[in-house]
Amino acid sequence: MLTANESILRAARKSDEMLEPYEWKRSCTVLRRERAGNRPDLADYASLIEAMGGEVIRIAAGSPDHINAMDMVEGYGDGGNPIIEKSEFVLSLFEQLDRNGIGPAQRSLIDRCTEAIYEDYQNGGKVPTLCVLREKLMEQKEREAKKLALALELFTDGSLDAFSHETNVDVNNRMVVYDILDLGKQLKTMGLLVITDAMLNRVTENWKKGKRTHIFLDEFHVVFENEHSGSFFNSAWRRFRKRNAFPTAITQNVEYLLDSVLASTMLSNSEYIVILNQAASDRQKLADLLNISNEQMSYITNADAGCGLIKYGSSLVPFISKFPKNTRLYKLMTTKPGEDCVNRMQYEKGGKGKD
């Protein structure tokens, strides 16, 4: 989930340089107030990434793009038993399928079957997927196993099977966008869990190769609309930073983050924060959380696009960053009504902007 507007592109680029001294706090947060001209939930970077040869993966019910929820790279987890770590992830998937949660017996069955399908795979069996996991549950004698298999059926054999098959998209491309614009309510939580896990896999692989990973998450507040996805992502955020990744969270709905204990803790632990124009209620909460004076808050009060505050460590710096409109990048990224479709159509037909 990615976005860019007039003010955050340069900030994102500068964060790479400015965060270097902070070895264990490589994270950035961009806070901006929603405006009528900046529509939420739009895959703003899709055109840009496709123009640069990247992969845009559109996740939705019925989409031909599939991400295997059971994918697991070597080194998965925090250094212990990777299958146990993966079992914890699978448990989080099942927990969000049933509002009443799952009991000890069900947890034991899920753990047993998860371990079994990976053991089978190591011995030449099927590639682990949610479909294979459901088959393994059906083989168990316990009645609870049949109930778990039934709960999973909609997501394996039904219309919501986006994460139940082997991955068929290029997740190893240098640039990848996960577009969840059309991800329905029933799939949203599972989608966020699976995509977060997929990012962990990629970060782990890059880390082992000595490569740095940059992660940009737009509409970041969506992660914390659900307890399961919020808790899992909070854990993933720490793993990202431990494995040489620079996560950048972007949101227009600051109040959602400030109302979440997990999210506000992550925000306060970010060494680099870009704050754009904010509503009055959000300004006060941010002032209390980040120790911003009333004079400094004036820079994010009725501020123009591209103007705001940068918090870097203990320093607060006002900035003005205007992105030139006569550029090819602007035409690919603008989300303003009337400009987005016209400009992108011109680009696709060969229209040229200033490079």
Side-chain angles (χ1 to χ4, degrees), residues 80-107:
N81 186 328
I83 294 180
I84 293 177
E85 298 273 1
K86 193 66 178 184
S87 179
E88 286 294 321
F89 165 71
V90 176
L91 284 169
S92 69
L93 290 182
F94 273 92
E95 284 176 342
Q96 66 88 25
L97 294 180
D98 189 343
R99 292 184 178 180
N100 296 322
I102 54 177
Q106 294 171 312
R107 285 176 170 269

Side-chain angles (χ1 to χ4, degrees), residues 249-352:
I250 307 168
T251 185
Q252 296 181 120
N253 295 358
V254 182
E255 59 182 320
Y256 283 14
L257 296 186
L258 298 176
D259 289 340
S260 166
V261 175
L262 287 177
S264 59
T265 299
M266 292 169 66
L267 177 60
S268 61
N269 285 334
S270 292
E271 282 298 314
Y272 186 83
I273 303 175
V274 180
I275 312 174
L276 304 180
N277 186 56
Q278 300 294 316
S281 57
D282 293 339
R283 286 199 303 270
Q284 187 56 52
K285 291 180 181 179
L286 286 170
D288 296 338
L289 181 66
L290 302 176
N291 195 27
I292 303 175
S293 69
N294 290 333
E295 182 179 356
Q296 291 167 328
M297 293 302 285
S298 65
Y299 291 103
I300 55 174
T301 303
N302 298 321
D304 293 333
C307 302
L309 279 175
I310 291 177
K311 180 182 183 296
Y312 178 53
S314 59
S315 301
L316 280 161
V317 182
F319 72 91
I320 298 176
S321 178
K322 298 293 185 179
F323 198 91
K325 295 185 177 181
N326 62 332
T327 61
R328 187 177 176 185
L329 282 176
Y330 182 86
K331 294 180 187 301
L332 285 168
M333 296 185 300
T334 179
T335 60
K336 291 184 178 180
E339 287 187 353
D340 51 358
C341 294
V342 173
N343 284 333
R344 293 183 192 190
M345 285 175 63
Q346 287 178 349
Y347 171 75
E348 290 170 0
K349 292 179 180 179
K352 296 180 180 179

Side-chain angles (χ1 to χ4, degrees), residues 7 38 52 70 78 103 131 136 144 148-149 152 165 180 203 208 220 299 302 309 317 320 329:
S7 52
N38 197 357
M52 297 176 69
M70 303 301 286
D78 282 330
C131 291
K136 184 63 68 174
E144 289 85 352
L148 288 169
L152 196 57
H165 305 285
I180 64 168
V203 167
K208 288 169 58 182
F220 186 56
Y299 291 103
N302 298 321
L309 279 175
V317 182
I320 298 176
L329 282 176

Side-chain angles (χ1 to χ4, degrees), residues 127-319:
V127 173
T129 64
L130 290 179
C131 291
V132 176
L133 177 61
R134 183 174 181 273
E135 291 173 4
K136 184 63 68 174
L137 285 167
M138 292 293 291
E139 294 174 4
Q140 309 306 304
K141 297 179 180 179
E142 292 85 353
R143 183 180 301 176
E144 289 85 352
K146 304 297 188 295
K147 292 181 179 179
L148 288 169
L150 180 61
L152 196 57
E153 182 178 349
L154 176 63
F155 299 92
T156 56
D157 302 300
S159 59
L160 305 181
D161 63 346
F163 308 108
S164 300
H165 305 285
E166 292 184 44
T167 299
N168 64 352
V169 289
D170 183 12
V171 294
N172 294 315
N173 193 300
R174 184 170 178 267
M175 296 174 290
V176 178
V177 172
Y178 292 97
D179 175 7
I180 64 168
L181 172 64
D182 297 318
L183 198 63
K185 185 176 181 180
Q186 286 183 292
L187 264 181
K188 180 172 285 187
T189 300
M190 177 177 281
L192 291 170
L193 291 171
V194 173
I195 290 171
T196 301
D197 196 62
M199 290 191 293
L200 278 171
N201 277 328
R202 180 63 181 273
V203 167
T204 299
E205 286 189 316
N206 287 352
W207 174 58
K208 288 169 58 182
K209 297 175 183 176
K211 295 181 179 180
R212 175 186 300 158
T213 308
H214 290 268
I215 304 170
F216 297 87
L217 302 113
D218 192 24
E219 308 300 341
F220 186 56
H221 59 276
V222 173
V223 175
F224 295 95
E225 289 179 354
N226 180 279
E227 177 185 355
H228 302 298
S229 61
S231 178
F232 184 72
F233 194 86
N234 181 55
S235 174
W237 185 269
R238 294 194 297 271
R239 295 188 197 180
F240 289 152
R241 299 198 300 179
K242 287 180 180 178
R243 299 191 172 185
N244 201 29
F246 285 1
T248 298
I250 307 168
T251 185
Q252 296 181 120
N253 295 358
V254 182
E255 59 182 320
Y256 283 14
L257 296 186
L258 298 176
D259 289 340
S260 166
V261 175
L262 287 177
S264 59
T265 299
M266 292 169 66
L267 177 60
S268 61
N269 285 334
S270 292
E271 282 298 314
Y272 186 83
I273 303 175
V274 180
I275 312 174
L276 304 180
N277 186 56
Q278 300 294 316
S281 57
D282 293 339
R283 286 199 303 270
Q284 187 56 52
K285 291 180 181 179
L286 286 170
D288 296 338
L289 181 66
L290 302 176
N291 195 27
I292 303 175
S293 69
N294 290 333
E295 182 179 356
Q296 291 167 328
M297 293 302 285
S298 65
Y299 291 103
I300 55 174
T301 303
N302 298 321
D304 293 333
C307 302
L309 279 175
I310 291 177
K311 180 182 183 296
Y312 178 53
S314 59
S315 301
L316 280 161
V317 182
F319 72 91

